[in-house]
Amino acid sequence: MDPGIPVPPPLYGGHERLVHMFAEEYKRQGHEVSLLAGPGSHIPGECYAFGVNNLERSSAQKSKELLQAWAFLYKRRNDFDLIHNFGRLVYLLPVLNAPVKKIMTYGRPVSTKGIKIVTSLPNRNLIFTACSNYCVSTGNVAGSWKTVYNAIDFSKYRVNARVDHDSPLMFLGRLDKVKGAHTAIKIAKRTANTLWIAGNIPETADNLAYYKQQIEPLIDGKQVIYLGALNDEEKNLYLGQAKALLFPIEWDEPFGMVMVEAMACGTPVIAFNRGSVPEVVNNGITGFIVEDEAQMTNKIPLLKEIDREKCRAAAAQKFNVTKIAARYLSLFDYHD
């Protein structure tokens, strides 16, 4: 796992959360687990720290981290049955043609240049995975590719089987423009609903300007309420009380973990039909897939038709960590 954020993350950090969860699940199934990740990381198994936890670290620092990862993997190349890489593809170079089995996992659109270079080199026992069919399609130019969805531990989420008709709508995610918080606000105002907004305030100049100009002035503490960045317990609390999660994305989302987190609380999702959305949302069961603001607005009165317990059950059948961990292990037949 790349340094930058510890495993597990204190707040934001989708892949870091996944890595910790899979480590716990593999340990529960009786496997020995080791982790190479940033300082302060911990799992139920051996942990090796490298690099620094700083998302703004320099190129020189990243180069130093690459050398550290190479040295670790080359030295330990015969110690593992399986290496599962959630970090940079280039980390795998020292073991690319070693007998150890390797899974390279992507959670965002893939740079095909790196895939072509690596697969042109001598390599053995290497499988590429990505978190949706859409995401696989961005990188599947060479090598062996499989779709393995992201997961959550449903046992850590509480279903709320019933909410009132005047319960709030919710937006949860990074407050970048492509996530569409401005559209969620428009729809809440158009339908006279309260909107809870939760997520990290962006740090990049363009997205911070977007937040300051288009979101912050509309947060009134009454109809539009900003909750801050939420931890897992707070997500349970607020998602469970919301009547729907609005997901009005303006980009091709590779997966959208927040959609599954909402479903785990029984909360249906109304999402724009982009990226992985058709793979995550079961239309009419776990929410609604829509094409534009008008359709999103029109689906809000239909939320009462969604059975919230069935919403959770359908999502758990597809995205629970036990099922997804088994999917990863099945790639190299590690069930025994």
Side-chain angles (χ1 to χ4, degrees), residues 24-329:
E24 288 186 320
E25 180 62 23
Y26 295 149
K27 186 72 172 181
R28 189 191 66 79
Q29 294 186 21
H31 299 280
E32 294 182 9
V33 184
S34 298
L35 173 67
L36 178 65
S41 299
H42 62 88
I43 61 164
E46 291 186 282
C47 226
Y48 303 90
F50 80 121
V52 296
N53 287 330
N54 177 3
L55 294 177
E56 303 302 320
R57 62 199 188 280
S58 67
S59 296
Q61 174 60 33
K62 291 181 179 179
S63 296
K64 181 180 178 181
E65 292 166 357
L66 177 59
L67 295 175
Q68 291 172 328
W70 281 352
F72 177 88
L73 287 176
Y74 184 77
K75 182 179 179 180
R76 302 288 304 272
R77 64 190 183 280
N78 297 319
D79 295 347
F80 304 114
D81 297 318
L82 171 66
I83 295 173
H84 193 169
N85 184 16
F86 282 83
R88 299 164 64 186
L89 174 59
V90 71
Y91 289 160
L92 293 178
L93 282 182
V95 294
L96 198 58
N97 200 36
V100 59
K101 297 175 174 66
K102 296 164 284 286
I103 298 173
M104 177 65 220
T105 290
Y106 289 93
R108 62 189 65 186
V110 182
S111 169
T112 57
K113 180 180 178 181
I115 302 299
K116 290 177 180 177
I117 292 172
V118 163
T119 54
S120 70
L121 299 172
N123 68 87
R124 282 185 286 173
N125 297 327
L126 174 62
I127 293 177
F128 297 96
T129 72
C131 58
S132 62
N133 293 333
Y134 160 73
C135 200
V136 165
S137 74
T138 69
N140 190 8
V141 293
S144 174
W145 284 82
K146 302 291 183 182
T147 296
V148 184
Y149 292 125
N150 284 342
I152 65 171
D153 184 348
F154 275 71
S155 70
K156 295 183 179 179
Y157 292 82
R158 301 182 298 272
V159 63
N160 186 5
R162 186 177 300 277
V163 296
D164 295 330
H165 74 279
D166 59 351
S167 294
L169 300 168
M170 189 163 182
F171 173 92
L172 174 59
R174 291 194 321 273
L175 295 173
D176 295 352
K177 187 176 187 298
V178 296
K179 296 290 189 174
H182 56 287
T183 302
I185 293 173
K186 283 184 194 176
I187 290 169
K189 288 182 173 292
R190 187 178 299 154
T191 58
N193 277 286
T194 299
L195 177 69
W196 286 339
I197 296 177
N200 295 60
I201 295 174
E203 296 180 356
T204 59
D206 55 344
N207 283 306
L208 181 58
Y210 156 76
Y211 172 78
K212 290 291 186 181
Q213 295 167 15
Q214 297 188 46
I215 303 301
E216 191 173 50
L218 300 177
I219 296 172
D220 58 14
K222 296 179 181 178
Q223 184 178 15
V224 181
I225 300 167
Y226 177 55
L227 303 173
L230 305 184
N231 60 31
D232 289 346
E233 185 59 31
E234 290 167 333
K235 286 180 185 179
N236 255 311
L237 174 65
Y238 290 108
L239 282 172
Q241 294 181 48
K243 63 183 172 185
L245 175 78
L246 300 185
F247 199 70
I249 50 172
E250 296 184 358
W251 75 310
D252 291 325
E253 181 74 54
F255 185 78
M257 191 83 73
V258 65
M259 292 191 285
V260 182
E261 291 174 329
M263 295 169 191
C265 298
T267 301
V269 177
I270 311 178
F272 282 177
N273 186 14
R274 296 196 62 169
S276 67
V277 164
E279 300 175 62
V280 178
V281 178
N282 188 342
N283 204 31
I285 304 296
T286 62
F288 300 107
I289 302 169
V290 299
E291 301 298 331
D292 52 33
E293 290 181 31
Q295 287 188 11
M296 184 170 278
T297 300
N298 292 337
K299 290 298 183 183
I300 290 175
L302 303 182
L303 289 167
K304 61 182 180 294
E305 299 178 4
I306 300 288
D307 184 310
R308 291 173 66 97
E309 291 183 322
K310 289 181 179 178
C311 171
R312 175 188 165 97
Q317 188 174 24
K318 193 171 184 179
F319 303 116
N320 197 14
V321 61
T322 303
K323 183 178 183 67
I324 301 303
R327 168 68 172 153
Y328 273 125
L329 294 176

